[in-house]
Amino acid sequence: MAEIKENNQVIVDREVPCTVRDGVKLYANIYRPNDGGIYPILLCRLPYNKNLPDFSHRYIDPIRTAMNGFIVVIQDVRGRFASEGEFMPFEQEAEDGYDTVEWAARLPYSDGNVGMFGLSYYGFTQLYAALEKPPSLKAVFPAMTGSISGEAFSRDGVFNFASAETWILESVAPDYLKRKQDSSEYAETIKVITNDLNKIEKWHDFKPINQWPPVTKHPELRELFRKYLNKVYLTDSLSKGTFTSEELKLPAYHLAGWYDNFLGPTIKNYQDMKKSDHNQKLIIGPWGHGAFNSEIGERSFGITSSGLSIEGKEDITSLHINWFDYWLKQDNTVLPEDDEPIKIFVMGINQWRSEKEWPLKRTNNTPYYFHSNGNANANLDSGTLTTVRPEAEQADQFVYDPESPVPTNGGSVLFYNGKNAGPRDQSEIEQRKDVLVYSSKPINTPIEVTGWVKVVLWAFTDAPDTDFTAKLVDVFPDGTAYNLTDGIVRTSHVSGGNGQENLSGKTVKYEIDLWATSNVFLSGHKIRVEISSSNYPWYDVNPNTGETTLDTSEMVQATQTIVHDSEHPSHLVLPVIPIE
């Protein structure tokens, strides 16, 4: 752990302007040691108000970081709070990021070396700045963030509309409208926004999404919302070419959570960036988005799972201090050989462990096949999960009604005020007729599952377009069923399709990416997978018409058939790790 200097005062310079290439001024707060010294810069660029501690530094203590010999610069991005200009999500962050990095490197108390840190959107600001290759940027620490070539609020063609609606209304709208309205009009506007946020769970039911009243009732927000839904900002932000995180060549420490909505992209950022720069690290805790407590959802993983006491040795601030000490204060070119690049928290046994690579080389990707007599939703013992390949078996069937979707119950979700995230008991949901349940027998010896998880599903539908969902569940001896990870696929976006292909009536092989987990199924537990067609309101419901609820409210029912026989062996693929 980095040593904290005693009796050292910190100066805070507020509202320091940085003028970027088009003359716009971006304002920052700067935390620096009060000793007249020259230090490296740690820069964070965010759209959520640098003056609000819950957002500006959140999980990082800037005072302590400055006391350890850094200049901490926290800046409002263009068009947000104190900074000038128009806010255009993502589109503005590459060039503004470059200019800010080089401005920070020239500050009179800077030694010219700059690192960047931040979570979520301010993880994106690091990656976009790095694309421009500012010469003073030496290392980054992107936490719980998406891929620069991915989509911030969608997954495999399906819209994470509840989080997108929440983000626009809660995080973007207040300051965005304050800048465009006079004080009396805004006073009424903020009352309306507050009232809508208090009822946001009901507002999620409104269709079509592109006419969502909590946003469209404000004329100044309509164009931003339209561009956002249509991914215009993401497209424009990468208009110079097609970029991937593989092109980013600089040391990066990636921070993820097993229940974070950016888990998959964060891990893939690590994998991609490692191809061009081996100086990558990754830590994954049992955390949700921006939440680092030892308790999440309905489970507790022990005090040392917390971001405040990792292994009882360090916290997230000290991870940052140690990382940037290494890359900004010393003339280093490679990670030390004795420093394992990966640290993961293994749930079930609730222990941290260091690893050399991802995926783990000792992984045995093991198929667990679906079996039933055509009644996998009749009761929880009807559908089974074994390592034996199926032969002649009757298919399972259910009716998916988008007017009555399967409710979201935990997972890697991002709802208003962090509601509904993490592991939660799935028992009630598993009683629904539109949820198929396949379970192993109680296991005799523990089974560790660490790595990428997927479901290979053979299915057909009578709808021109529909969704299939899958969820991995750890069933405790008392019947409590905790979700570990989940995924979804839209039939019109299957691999090899053109996005418009009508697969109605065809038996098609789908691969559902459940992202990743690390969990030991203990003796007496069951491994379970749930199959359905909705997870609402985390994902927008598929209306089964060939359209989407982005622009239609018309919905019809679909009959879904899950096939598991010798020619169509539907199965779950688990990355099993030998237990020594």
Side-chain angles (χ1 to χ4, degrees):
M1 183 183 296
E3 180 182 355
I4 299 176
K5 298 180 180 179
E6 300 292 339
N7 303 317
N8 195 4
Q9 293 182 331
V10 172
I11 295 174
V12 181
D13 299 316
R14 292 172 55 85
E15 308 301 345
V16 180
C18 160
T19 303
V20 295
R21 67 189 68 183
D22 62 355
V24 168
K25 288 185 172 63
L26 310 180
Y27 288 86
N29 292 339
I30 299 178
Y31 303 76
R32 55 190 176 90
N34 184 23
D35 60 4
I38 303 298
Y39 296 103
I41 300 286
L42 297 188
L43 170 66
C44 176
R45 307 185 62 252
L46 75 160
Y48 304 132
N49 194 348
K50 66 184 182 303
N51 294 319
L52 291 179
D54 278 352
F55 289 102
S56 64
H57 33 273
R58 200 164 191 164
Y59 57 100
I60 300 299
D61 181 352
I63 301 295
R64 183 172 142 210
T65 304
M67 289 172 61
N68 277 271
F70 292 97
I71 311 296
V72 182
V73 179
I74 303 178
Q75 182 190 71
D76 292 326
V77 301
R78 177 184 294 249
R80 300 295 289 170
F81 298 93
S83 291
E84 299 174 351
E86 181 81 7
F87 180 59
M88 296 176 290
F90 308 107
E91 184 176 333
Q92 58 195 356
E93 307 307 351
E95 292 184 352
D96 283 355
Y98 178 100
D99 292 352
T100 301
V101 166
E102 293 307 305
W103 162 81
R106 296 191 301 270
L107 289 170
Y109 31 73
S110 168
D111 71 359
N113 295 303
V114 179
M116 293 185 74
F117 70 95
L119 177 149
S120 195
Y121 189 99
Y122 28 133
F124 277 107
T125 59
Q126 298 173 63
L127 300 179
Y128 278 107
L131 278 178
E132 295 289 301
K133 297 180 174 57
S136 302
L137 183 61
K138 302 301 170 57
V140 294
F141 204 126
M144 297 179 172
T145 193
S147 167
I148 55 172
S149 57
E151 299 173 359
F153 289 105
S154 65
R155 182 168 171 184
D156 293 333
V158 186
F159 191 37
N160 296 127
F161 84 99
S163 60
E165 289 178 345
T166 300
W167 187 72
I168 287 287
L169 188 62
E170 177 193 21
S171 300
V172 175
D175 181 67
Y176 191 86
L177 294 174
K178 184 178 183 180
R179 303 165 75 95
K180 296 179 178 295
Q181 298 177 351
D182 61 38
S183 57
S184 60
E185 183 182 7
Y186 181 71
E188 293 304 312
T189 292
I190 199 64
K191 292 178 183 178
V192 173
I193 290 175
T194 300
N195 185 52
D196 285 336
L197 280 171
N198 285 331
K199 300 184 297 185
I200 196 167
E201 292 179 11
K202 293 183 178 179
W203 273 124
H204 288 326
D205 291 335
F206 182 88
K207 308 291 184 299
I209 296 169
N210 64 8
Q211 297 176 25
W212 197 52
V215 166
T216 58
K217 67 176 62 170
H218 307 290
E220 302 92 339
L221 269 179
R222 292 173 188 165
E223 182 64 9
L224 182 146
F225 190 52
R226 182 192 68 80
K227 288 183 176 180
Y228 183 70
L229 291 181
N230 293 319
K231 305 181 181 67
V232 172
Y233 291 119
L234 281 167
T235 301
D236 288 352
S237 68
L238 298 173
S239 59
K240 296 178 182 178
T242 301
F243 296 101
T244 67
S245 48
E246 186 176 343
E247 299 177 52
L248 301 178
K249 185 175 175 56
L250 79 168
Y253 199 144
H254 308 264
L255 184 152
W258 295 126
Y259 290 98
D260 175 51
N261 60 296
F262 287 127
L263 170 64
T266 300
I267 298 175
K268 290 175 182 175
N269 283 343
Y270 167 80
Q271 289 181 296
D272 287 347
M273 291 181 69
K274 196 170 181 65
K275 295 174 184 177
S276 57
D277 190 313
H278 291 293
N279 299 308
Q280 307 294 307
K281 293 192 73 171
L282 171 68
I283 183 171
I284 312 176
W287 304 320
H289 194 67
F292 302 98
N293 298 324
S294 58
E295 295 184 2
I296 180 172
E298 298 173 0
R299 296 190 68 181
S300 174
F301 294 102
I303 293 173
T304 60
S305 71
S306 166
L308 297 176
S309 182
I310 300 170
E311 288 190 293
K313 301 176 182 177
E314 54 190 348
D315 59 20
I316 293 177
T317 294
S318 63
L319 292 182
H320 282 71
I321 291 171
N322 292 336
W323 177 251
F324 289 116
D325 269 346
Y326 188 80
W327 288 108
L328 303 187
K329 294 182 180 180
Q330 304 175 43
D331 187 18
N332 293 309
T333 57
V334 295
L335 285 172
E337 292 183 3
D338 60 349
D339 187 12
E340 304 290 10
I342 297 172
K343 184 187 293 289
I344 59 173
F345 187 85
V346 184
M347 297 178 289
I349 58 173
N350 295 348
Q351 295 177 3
W352 288 98
R353 192 171 71 212
S354 295
E355 296 288 349
K356 296 183 180 297
E357 72 284 311
W358 183 277
L360 281 58
K361 287 184 179 179
R362 61 189 185 279
T363 301
N364 178 17
N365 287 310
T366 305
Y368 282 76
Y369 296 98
F370 300 178
H371 299 274
S372 82
N373 245 346
N375 56 354
N377 62 347
N379 62 69
L380 296 184
D381 294 322
S382 297
T384 60
L385 202 60
T386 78
T387 56
V388 178
R389 191 179 177 96
E391 296 181 356
E393 293 187 8
Q394 186 177 344
D396 295 306
Q397 198 170 77
F398 65 93
V399 175
Y400 160 48
D401 182 1
E403 298 280 6
S404 179
V406 177
T408 299
N409 186 32
S412 301
V413 300
L414 181 59
F415 291 145
Y416 181 53
N417 281 339
K419 291 181 179 179
N420 208 4
R424 296 178 184 272
D425 187 8
Q426 306 298 307
S427 299
E428 184 175 344
I429 282 177
E430 291 170 348
Q431 303 296 327
R432 290 176 59 109
K433 293 182 178 180
D434 56 354
V435 178
L436 304 181
V437 178
Y438 303 91
S439 307
S440 72
K441 292 180 179 180
I443 60 179
N444 295 321
T445 57
I447 297 174
E448 179 182 334
V449 171
T450 296
W452 297 113
V453 180
K454 69 177 179 179
V455 164
V456 179
L457 191 73
W458 273 267
F460 65 86
T461 177
D462 62 359
D465 186 22
T466 195
D467 294 343
F468 289 105
T469 63
K471 187 184 300 177
L472 176 63
V473 178
D474 184 350
V475 185
F476 283 50
D478 65 359
T480 307
Y482 289 120
N483 53 298
L484 292 169
T485 188
D486 60 72
I488 190 168
V489 66
R490 183 149 289 179
T491 61
S492 57
H493 287 76
V494 295
S495 178
N498 58 11
Q500 301 295 324
E501 184 178 1
N502 185 339
L503 300 175
S504 175
K506 302 176 183 178
T507 300
V508 178
K509 177 183 176 182
Y510 301 100
E511 290 197 1
I512 307 178
D513 181 4
L514 276 64
W515 284 358
T517 192
S518 182
N519 182 71
V520 173
F521 292 84
L522 300 173
S523 298
H525 289 224
K526 297 178 183 178
I527 301 170
R528 177 173 291 168
V529 63
E530 299 173 12
I531 301 295
S532 192
S533 286
S534 50
N535 184 347
Y536 176 86
W538 180 232
Y539 301 110
D540 67 301
V541 293
N542 194 315
N544 298 324
T545 62
E547 305 295 328
T548 75
T549 53
L550 285 176
D551 48 23
T552 185
S553 57
E554 179 186 355
M555 302 184 191
V556 298
Q557 295 184 6
T559 299
Q560 319 288 53
T561 302
I562 306 303
V563 184
H564 43 86
D565 57 29
S566 58
E567 294 183 3
H568 312 93
S570 293
H571 60 278
L572 166 72
V573 181
L574 292 182
V576 175
I577 306 300
I579 296 179
E580 299 177 356

